Amino acid sequence: MNPPEHLMLPGPTPFPELVREAMGTPAIGHRGGEFKTVLERVFPRLKWLFQTQNDVFLLTASGTAAMEAGMINTLNTGDEVLVFCCGVFSERWAEMAELLGAKVTLIQVESGKINTVTSLEAALNVKNDYKAIVFTHSETSTSVLNPLKALCETVRKLATPDTLIFVDAVTSMGATSVPVDAWDIDIAISGSQKSFMISPGLSFLSVSPRAWRVFETCERPGLYFNFKKYKKAQDAFSTPYTPATHLILALDQALAMMETEGLTEIFERHARLRDMTRAGVKALGLELLVMADTDASPAVTSVRPPAGISVDAIRAGLKKDFGLIVANGQKELKGQIFRIGHLGYQFDRDIEMTLIALEKVLSDLGHPVTPGSAVSSARNAVQAAQKRPETVS
Ligand SMILES: Cc1ncc(COP(=O)(O)O)c(C=O)c1O
């Protein structure tokens, strides 16, 4: 018998038992009173998680659809958009804006580096009237966490007052604080298979009053993603089209669990898991793609394999001997890094288990390790984290 698989991915993430049970319940009519009661719980809890009074729309479609919904409802052909790129997902925003006919200016950094306030200031000193500026908070392909608060403050200080701030919070929402109102974010998006602990297939999108004003000038907002259709339906605790009912039943359970845990506790847990992972892999003599602790995502950690050992061999060993699934790098980072997800329904024991497994697999592959060093370094990181509590915003 082989060990059951456990996903240590930055999405999809493991399901809590309550989520699994919810997905296996009998069919439910999406226009009935019972489902309305579920939406009456889900919609306010999404606002709670996004820390906002803005509308937070629930889409039956993956995170990329929420990105497109944000853009298709606000951009017209020829609009100028500034996109901060630091990996695969931030580049997707640029591609999408271009396909929608926008004129895109890119600010690129090398893999593993954050987008800086200095580069934003420099860009806004040249031109400050972009229609929209896009930041990817946690860039899942490299594992950086961009300094979103400072970036948003800089936009509000230097850009024209109606500039829209788009934030890809797909792997940061529910892993670290993304206070949409306090940071004055116009469109923030996230997806269900991440900190939400449920299957892929739902996404979430907040819309600020500024974004609503821009929507009124949008020439072709389309139908499936049309903000007005969502607003009308959600104000009546409904959905504009047939929703993925069982994903929403699962979401109801997951959000209730998150509320019980509490925002601060959720953010502390993710920060601790990140710190444990980073300390553990360093103790194994491995190099991290994101060098500075302050730039590291609480959702995922990118690790370079030791010289002479392939990413494929490490991933295969973790899977075969321990049932642990970690991610490869994407695009040009494929085979250059492996990525350990610590997002959603994950605990200290999951990181310890992964580090023990990694130590064994590396040792089997001929990499010298000091037995027990990874877990003991991770435990030291827990103690350090206790002295440095996370705050909500
Ligand atoms: C940062 C980021 N943005 C966007 C996406 C796209 O989301 P989806 O794959 O759900 O369409 C992902 C998916 O992993 C992501 O990590």
Side-chain angles (χ1 to χ4, degrees):
M1 212 175 352
N2 292 324
E5 285 192 358
H6 181 77
L7 302 187
M8 295 299 295
L9 296 173
T13 60
F15 302 148
E17 195 54 35
L18 285 173
V19 161
R20 260 202 287 202
E21 281 169 14
M23 289 195 286
T25 52
I28 182 170
H30 62 284
R31 299 292 176 221
E34 206 189 324
F35 196 68
K36 185 172 181 224
T37 312
V38 173
L39 295 178
E40 281 168 358
R41 288 193 294 266
V42 164
F43 292 158
R45 280 188 176 136
L46 285 174
K47 288 187 178 208
W48 163 79
L49 190 62
F50 277 59
Q51 300 179 62
T52 186
Q53 298 303 314
N54 292 343
D55 297 300
V56 180
F57 296 144
L58 187 165
L59 314 180
T60 287
S62 82
T64 307
M67 296 161 69
E68 191 143 291
M71 289 197 147
I72 205 169
N73 279 283
T74 53
L75 298 185
N76 291 323
T77 305
D79 282 345
E80 301 218 47
V81 177
L82 180 63
V83 181
F84 280 78
C85 284
C86 50
V88 170
F89 294 104
S90 34
E91 282 162 16
R92 187 176 294 178
W93 283 96
E95 184 189 356
M96 185 178 281
E98 253 165 27
L99 286 170
L100 290 171
K103 283 192 204 141
V104 175
T105 304
L106 281 185
I107 309 259
Q108 280 279 13
V109 287
E110 66 182 271
S111 287
K113 295 279 190 291
I114 55 165
N115 295 122
T116 61
V117 169
T118 316
S119 64
L120 173 61
E121 283 170 346
L124 291 177
N125 283 334
V126 174
K127 172 178 167 56
N128 74 343
D129 60 348
Y130 288 97
K131 176 84 169 267
I133 301 182
V134 183
F135 302 117
T136 297
H137 192 191
S138 162
E139 174 49 83
T140 321
S141 67
T142 64
S143 306
V144 296
L145 185 76
N146 280 304
L148 187 60
K149 179 173 192 262
L151 291 168
C152 292
E153 280 170 359
T154 307
V155 172
R156 294 299 173 230
K157 204 163 60 190
L158 298 180
T160 46
D162 47 358
T163 301
L164 294 178
I165 299 180
F166 278 69
V167 171
D168 180 333
V170 169
T171 48
S172 62
M173 189 64 73
T176 190
S177 193
V178 189
V180 163
D181 289 355
W183 294 356
D184 203 3
I185 298 166
D186 296 297
I187 305 269
I189 64 128
S190 196
S192 57
Q193 75 276 26
K194 308 293 183 181
S195 78
F196 296 85
M197 308 181 283
I198 67 174
S199 286
L202 295 180
S203 52
F204 319 102
L205 162 127
S206 67
V207 182
S208 73
R210 188 186 288 104
W212 273 114
R213 286 196 294 278
V214 172
F215 167 82
E216 294 303 334
T217 68
C218 182
E219 286 154 14
R220 250 175 265 111
L223 183 121
Y224 189 73
F225 295 131
N226 191 299
F227 282 174
K228 257 197 181 143
K229 307 256 183 216
Y230 282 85
K231 173 81 179 148
K232 188 167 172 232
Q234 288 206 188
D235 282 353
F237 297 104
S238 183
T239 58
Y241 315 107
T242 308
T245 48
H246 281 62
L247 286 182
I248 295 174
L249 296 180
L251 178 66
D252 184 30
Q253 295 298 330
L255 287 171
M257 285 178 68
M258 291 168 101
E259 202 174 72
T260 304
E261 184 177 5
L263 282 185
T264 308
E265 290 75 12
I266 293 172
F267 304 151
E268 279 175 359
R269 177 166 54 83
H270 283 87
R272 189 174 70 245
L273 299 185
R274 171 199 56 205
D275 295 351
M276 288 174 73
T277 309
R278 289 176 65 83
V281 296
K282 277 197 253 179
L284 292 172
L286 305 185
E287 199 183 300
L288 297 162
L289 180 67
V290 180
M291 301 298 255
D293 290 338
T294 46
D295 298 347
S297 169
V300 55
T301 295
S302 296
V303 187
R304 293 188 193 277
I309 296 181
S310 73
V311 163
D312 284 347
I314 295 171
R315 292 182 68 226
L318 289 172
K319 182 172 179 190
K320 181 169 156 293
D321 297 340
F322 297 92
L324 291 177
I325 311 296
V326 301
N328 205 327
Q330 291 172 277
K331 292 205 172 157
E332 65 272 18
L333 286 174
K334 191 164 183 188
Q336 304 299 309
I337 55 168
F338 59 97
R339 292 174 300 145
I340 303 171
H342 29 79
L343 176 62
Y345 198 53
Q346 304 280 15
F347 302 91
D348 296 23
R349 63 123 208 245
D350 299 305
I351 303 300
E352 292 200 7
M353 176 174 71
T354 305
L355 292 172
I356 290 166
L358 189 57
E359 187 176 291
K360 163 88 167 48
V361 168
L362 288 172
S363 168
D364 290 350
L365 291 168
H367 177 68
V369 295
T370 309
S373 61
V375 167
S376 79
S377 298
R379 287 188 186 155
N380 290 340
V382 174
Q383 281 170 6
Q386 277 159 356
K387 294 188 196 127
R388 177 181 41 72
E390 284 279 301
T391 48
V392 164
S393 61

